[in-house]
Amino acid sequence: MLSAIDARILADRYAAQLRFCCRQSQTSYSLARTIHAHMIASGFRPRHHTFNLLISIYCKSSNIIYARHLFDKIPEPDIVARTALISAYSATGNLKSAREIFSGTPLSVRDTVCYNAMITGYSHSNDGRAAIELFRDMRWGDFRPDNLTFTSVLSALALIVDDEKQCQQMHCAVVKSGTGFATSVLNALISVYVKCASSLSTSLSTSLMAAARKLFDEMPERDELTWTTMINGYVKSKDLVAARNFLGGMTENFGAAWNAMISGYVHHGYFQEALQAFREMYVMGISQDDFTYTSALSACSSGGFFQLGQQLHAHILRTELKPSSKSSLFVNNALVTLYYQCGKVDEALEIFNKMPVRDTVSWTAILSGYVDAQRLEEAKSFFMEIPEKNNRTWTVMISGLAQNGFGEEAMKLFDQMRSEGLKPCQYIFSGAITSCAVLGALEHGRQLHALLISLGHDSSLGAGNALITMYARCGVVEAAKRVFLTMLHVDLVSWNSMIAALAQHGRGLQAIELFEQMLKEDIQPNRVVFITILSACSHAGLVKEGCHYFDSMTSSYGISPDEDHYAIMVDLFCRAGKFSEAKELINAMPFDPGAQIWESVLAGSWIHGNMDLGIQAAERLFELRPEHDATYIMLSNMYANVGWWEEVAKVRKLMRKRGVKKEPGCSWIEVDNKVHVFLVDDTMHPEVEALYKYLNKLGLEMKKLGYIPDTKYVLRDMESELKEYSLSTHSEKLAVGFGLMKLPPGATIRVFKNLRICGDCHNAFKFISRLAVVAVAEGVNAFAESMVGFYHGGFLDIEWPGTPFRN
């Protein structure tokens, strides 16, 4: 049995050893375990002070289990032990256990340090509301907040602040507490003003930044965080001029402040200014770190400054001889992004393969490179190798497949993701909905729309825009309009998508009305929107309106028309038969006409039978795009229309000589969630025999109403009877016939085509619609109350019974 003196000496020795452990961060845990074991073996019964040292060491060594075990052995743990455990649990994000210890601490035992530990835990875990609520409890309990209290609670308030009054109330509390001279507290208070300014309107933002600036000017001492916070505030308030002026007024060259300025330039699209600031920083001898390099590389990749990016890469290799793994990760991710965004995917892969450490950003960057380069087979293989797929990687792969015409594979990947238990985010929904638009899979698109709503993503801007396009491409323009009108927020893409939807369905005047409404709401059109509205005018034959909008691009909006805009205007004139105006526009262009221009001329010449101009356009296209099959087909069709069969033969011989193959026309229709594809004169479909018999009977009924097959659309030299048969086996007729056979009465028939519908089929479906009206009147089911729709070359027309098709 130890005497009281010996026990006290032993306790002091153990305490000194444990205090030594606290100072040895690398070996503290093993030493403390050894000392603790010696205590137990010797029969020494530690008191609160010794227990607290052990708990503190275990907590700092991330061995909270041992710390909690000791804590539970103490009959009445004091506030030091409780606070140590609260801090340890909070540091690991285990706020439930931290709050359990805090709530179990009697009010009489608690102190300011204990409250600070819990408030800081909430703040660091981004739970601002819980931190503010606990601060209120602290004040009601008559506990006096100190500098750390206000620093933590202000950091928490910055997470949730959305009202100027909240800033002012907390400012008053700081002043009353007497902590308003502490740099850390004032920095946190400035951060609150800055955060609130970035979330409010321009006028209020200016007022709040003025309050932050006043605080800054009155501070007795400022540090790097002070300057950096103010610059971040101006950047987030989009006042980059003020931020740059503020940077120039720094009394010391703080690297973090320069990083904030460069990052701000990049975020707002001022890439040249970002690189200029980087150069100034280098010339002034200010230390550059991974954040500096990452922002500068982002400026190079986003701005398309590939050579500057290469130079920066070389600079990094020369100066950063031994970068840390973490900094190397950030910089290497930026380098991979630089090379792939500048079209250097193989170089990006080389950097990726040499990376010592990778994260999901690394994998996503190189995957994006493959997708952007349309190297989809490599992208699919690479996607399977990704160790931890997240929403971003799924989004890149699904959207990449959808946007490159692989809609079916995109849908399968979406289903696979869901089968693996992952919930799609709004961006994945956008990709999946886009794949439905590509496929014309309306029912799948509707199901995705329902799922989108059920998962709470219906307010997503990107998904809403994708839905507008999907419904438009599937022919349900009214559904597209409903989506547009019910979206909580719309942007320029939303307006453009809806204008395009109306334009695709021949509603040119409605497209113009919507465009004018957009202008009235002070939304400035860009070059893409002008392409859309000019296309709407072209397809609707609105020459006067098209000329007006084309002229307004330069005169009202300062946008110089490029080849896309000129091509649409040439198409507008040629469709209307105004070839002299088209020639004048071509001669007035500031550049030589490219393939797009001559394609528009050739298409217009074909429509109006202008042989001389059509031949001229075709000869230019043979020089510019000799591999493009559409030129040969259209020229051949022009010759066939006037019976120049020898010329037709020459064109086809030229195609064979150059190895150009005609894309086979096909039509497809979805019945019972299965897509049925038909080619001209199809013999492969399992029900083709019954289908031909049905179409034969249908043709007899159509002829009774006056239908006469227009054999001029048979572009081959053959007997009249064979021409009629050839017309009857067009893929779109087969698809419509199959829909009439299989779909229930009243169902919509939607047929999709990869090429433009021929004139005879166009006419035939008018008579089918008239037969539908007769069937409705007589109560016949076959295709009563049906609608017939066609998707050709990217445009969908809807046919209601008894109404003519729109051109």
Side-chain angles (χ1 to χ4, degrees):
M1 185 79 179
L2 290 171
S3 66
I5 296 176
D6 291 337
R8 189 164 53 252
I9 294 172
L10 190 58
D12 290 341
R13 185 180 301 165
Y14 281 135
Q17 290 172 338
L18 290 173
R19 281 193 292 271
F20 173 79
C21 289
C22 289
R23 296 192 295 270
Q24 306 299 314
S25 57
Q26 297 296 325
T27 57
S28 62
Y29 172 62
S30 57
L31 284 173
R33 287 291 308 266
T34 302
I35 296 168
H36 191 184
H38 192 275
M39 288 182 192
I40 296 171
S42 66
F44 175 75
R45 293 182 179 180
R47 299 197 177 189
H48 280 92
H49 177 63
T50 308
F51 271 124
N52 290 347
L53 284 169
L54 280 169
I55 289 171
S56 177
I57 292 170
Y58 285 142
C59 286
K60 290 177 181 178
S61 303
S62 300
N63 289 279
I64 305 178
I65 295 175
Y66 291 119
R68 182 60 186 266
H69 181 69
L70 277 178
F71 179 85
D72 290 339
K73 280 188 172 184
I74 304 174
E76 293 182 7
D78 62 13
I79 193 62
V80 176
R82 293 176 184 274
T83 304
L85 263 184
I86 291 169
S87 297
Y89 278 129
S90 296
T92 60
N94 188 353
L95 292 181
K96 182 179 179 182
S97 296
R99 185 66 196 227
E100 177 190 334
I101 300 293
F102 180 84
S103 299
T105 304
L107 198 61
S108 59
V109 176
R110 294 180 193 173
D111 62 7
T112 297
V113 178
C114 180
Y115 272 101
N116 288 350
M118 195 67 241
I119 292 171
T120 302
Y122 282 130
S123 179
H124 288 173
S125 297
N126 296 325
D127 192 348
R129 299 192 184 283
I132 299 299
E133 189 63 35
L134 189 60
F135 175 72
R136 290 196 184 103
D137 291 344
M138 178 183 180
R139 299 296 301 274
W140 290 335
D142 289 333
F143 291 93
R144 184 179 180 83
D146 58 14
N147 293 353
L148 180 58
T149 313
F150 277 107
T151 301
S152 296
V153 80
L154 285 167
S155 298
L157 179 61
L159 298 170
I160 60 172
V161 64
D162 57 5
D163 187 349
E164 186 178 7
K165 289 182 179 179
Q166 294 172 321
C167 304
Q168 294 168 343
Q169 289 171 354
M170 194 59 75
H171 194 167
C172 290
V174 167
V175 173
K176 289 179 180 178
S177 70
T179 60
F181 296 99
T183 302
S184 61
V185 175
L186 292 174
N187 282 345
L189 186 56
I190 289 173
S191 182
V192 170
Y193 276 112
V194 162
K195 176 64 190 305
C196 192
S198 66
S199 63
L200 296 177
S201 63
T202 305
S203 59
L204 287 174
S205 173
T206 303
S207 170
L208 287 164
M209 284 306 301
R213 180 59 190 263
K214 186 173 184 295
L215 262 178
F216 173 87
D217 291 337
E218 293 173 352
M219 286 180 70
E221 293 183 10
R222 308 181 188 100
D223 58 14
E224 187 170 21
L225 180 59
T226 319
W227 289 93
T228 305
T229 303
M230 284 298 299
I231 290 172
N232 268 324
Y234 285 121
V235 166
K236 289 179 180 178
S237 299
K238 302 179 182 179
D239 191 350
L240 296 178
V241 173
R244 189 66 179 86
N245 291 335
F246 201 82
L247 183 72
M250 280 197 304
T251 53
E252 296 182 53
N253 291 324
F254 294 121
W258 279 89
N259 287 346
M261 189 70 249
I262 295 170
S263 176
Y265 276 135
V266 174
H267 180 73
H268 290 287
Y270 293 92
F271 307 121
Q272 289 183 329
E273 288 80 357
L275 292 172
Q276 179 61 33
F278 176 84
R279 290 190 192 96
E280 290 181 36
M281 187 178 179
Y282 175 75
V283 169
M284 294 170 69
I286 303 170
S287 178
Q288 296 169 319
D289 56 19
D290 52 312
F291 295 107
T292 322
Y293 294 136
T294 301
S295 294
L297 287 168
S298 297
C300 292
S301 56
S302 299
F305 306 125
F306 179 59
Q307 289 186 337
L308 287 175
Q310 282 184 307
Q311 293 172 15
L312 182 55
H313 187 185
H315 170 75
I316 293 169
L317 292 175
R318 286 197 308 270
T319 57
E320 300 294 325
L321 297 177
K322 294 181 180 179
S324 67
S325 295
K326 189 173 183 181
S327 66
S328 177
L329 173 64
F330 295 142
V331 174
N332 279 328
N333 284 345
L335 283 168
V336 170
T337 302
L338 166 72
Y339 279 95
Y340 97 71
Q341 284 193 351
C342 294
K344 310 292 182 181
V345 182
D346 293 327
E347 289 85 344
L349 181 62
E350 186 178 346
I351 295 169
F352 175 85
N353 288 333
K354 291 179 180 178
M355 289 175 66
V357 180
R358 303 185 188 113
D359 61 4
T360 53
V361 176
S362 320
W363 289 92
T364 304
I366 196 66
L367 177 66
S368 299
Y370 280 125
V371 169
D372 287 357
Q374 297 184 345
R375 292 163 60 171
L376 295 178
E377 290 302 319
E378 293 169 275
K380 286 186 279 188
S381 299
F382 192 84
F383 179 77
M384 300 303 295
E385 296 177 19
I386 298 177
E388 293 183 14
K389 301 178 181 68
N390 59 8
N391 276 340
R392 175 64 179 155
T393 52
W394 285 99
T395 300
V396 170
M397 197 67 243
I398 291 172
S399 298
L401 288 169
Q403 291 166 5
N404 285 282
F406 296 90
E408 189 171 351
E409 289 189 51
M411 285 303 301
K412 287 179 180 177
L413 199 61
F414 179 80
D415 292 337
Q416 177 189 333
M417 183 203 68
R418 293 195 65 208
S419 68
E420 292 179 10
L422 298 173
K423 287 187 177 180
C425 66
Q426 54 180 314
Y427 304 106
I428 294 177
F429 268 115
S430 298
I433 293 167
T434 299
S435 69
C436 291
V438 171
L439 293 170
L442 177 62
E443 292 307 316
H444 279 88
R446 282 173 170 161
Q447 291 171 17
L448 285 175
H449 192 177
L451 182 61
L452 184 80
I453 294 171
S454 66
L455 293 178
H457 295 308
D458 50 314
S459 61
S460 162
L461 180 61
N465 293 339
L467 281 170
I468 293 172
T469 301
M470 185 274 295
Y471 280 123
R473 288 196 176 185
C474 291
V476 197
V477 69
E478 294 303 325
K481 191 174 182 180
R482 281 196 297 273
V483 172
F484 177 76
L485 292 175
T486 55
M487 287 174 66
L488 294 178
H489 306 284
V490 293
D491 61 2
L492 190 60
V493 177
S494 316
W495 287 94
N496 189 53
S497 299
M498 193 62 234
I499 293 168
L502 295 168
Q504 288 166 4
H505 291 271
R507 304 184 184 185
L509 291 175
Q510 292 183 32
I512 288 175
E513 288 176 7
L514 190 62
F515 179 75
E516 291 295 336
Q517 182 183 340
M518 183 189 81
L519 297 180
K520 288 177 182 177
E521 297 193 17
D522 292 329
I523 298 174
Q524 295 297 306
N526 59 12
R527 60 172 301 277
V528 177
V529 177
F530 273 110
I531 287 175
T532 303
I533 193 62
L534 291 175
S535 297
C537 294
S538 178
H539 286 97
L542 302 172
V543 178
K544 181 181 177 182
E545 291 82 354
C547 291
H548 165 71
Y549 290 126
F550 183 77
D551 293 337
S552 71
M553 286 180 63
T554 306
S555 61
S556 300
Y557 301 101
I559 301 173
S560 298
D562 56 26
E563 188 172 4
D564 292 328
H565 302 98
Y566 279 104
I568 296 170
M569 286 304 296
V570 171
D571 183 64
L572 172 62
F573 287 133
C574 290
R575 279 174 179 261
K578 297 180 178 293
F579 294 105
S580 59
E581 287 86 342
K583 288 180 181 178
E584 287 178 11
L585 183 63
I586 292 173
N587 293 331
M589 288 193 309
F591 45 78
D592 292 333
Q596 283 181 283
I597 305 294
W598 291 114
E599 283 172 356
S600 297
V601 173
L602 179 58
S605 301
W606 179 61
I607 293 171
H608 293 281
N610 190 329
M611 293 296 295
D612 292 337
L613 188 58
I615 293 170
Q616 180 188 349
E619 288 174 350
R620 292 292 294 119
L621 286 167
F622 286 150
E623 295 173 7
L624 295 168
R625 299 180 64 183
E627 77 289 348
H628 193 44
D629 66 327
T631 306
Y632 300 87
I633 302 305
M634 201 168 291
L635 180 61
S636 174
N637 291 349
M638 287 181 69
Y639 285 140
N641 278 337
V642 294
W644 294 5
W645 300 111
E646 289 184 6
E647 299 300 325
V648 171
K650 287 180 183 179
V651 173
R652 290 176 178 168
K653 183 179 179 180
L654 183 62
M655 284 185 71
R656 289 192 296 271
K657 181 180 178 181
R658 293 181 174 177
V660 179
K661 293 184 178 180
K662 176 184 179 296
E663 180 185 358
C666 68
S667 303
W668 60 95
I669 184 172
E670 184 177 358
V671 176
D672 295 330
N673 292 322
K674 183 179 179 181
V675 177
H676 297 262
V677 182
F678 297 92
L679 300 174
V680 63
D681 200 18
D682 202 309
T683 59
M684 301 300 294
H685 194 277
E687 298 186 59
V688 72
E689 187 176 342
L691 177 55
Y692 281 131
K693 289 180 180 179
Y694 179 83
L695 286 174
N696 189 39
K697 292 180 181 179
L698 185 62
L700 295 174
E701 295 298 322
M702 291 162 60
K703 287 181 178 179
K704 291 178 182 179
L705 292 179
Y707 167 66
I708 300 175
D710 194 344
T711 56
K712 76 176 183 181
Y713 290 101
V714 179
L715 303 172
R716 292 181 182 274
D717 191 12
M718 59 176 65
E719 297 295 330
S720 179
E721 290 183 3
L722 290 176
K723 286 186 176 182
E724 286 195 22
Y725 175 77
S726 176
L727 288 172
S728 70
T729 62
H730 279 194
S731 64
E732 50 264 58
K733 287 194 179 81
L734 298 178
V736 168
F738 189 76
L740 293 171
M741 285 174 55
K742 295 295 182 180
L743 292 173
T748 301
I749 297 175
R750 288 187 175 86
V751 176
F752 296 80
K753 279 185 62 61
N754 63 332
L755 302 175
R756 186 176 297 276
I757 187 174
C758 90
D760 177 70
C761 290
H762 214 170
N763 188 46
F765 297 133
K766 296 178 185 179
F767 285 92
I768 292 177
S769 295
R770 292 174 190 171
L771 284 172
V773 173
V774 174
V776 171
E778 296 179 357
V780 179
N781 282 334
F783 36 83
E785 298 178 333
S786 66
M787 293 183 292
V788 185
F790 290 90
Y791 178 80
H792 50 83
F795 296 95
L796 183 70
D797 295 329
I798 293 297
E799 168 66 8
W800 291 86
T803 61
F805 258 64
R806 289 184 296 273
N807 289 318

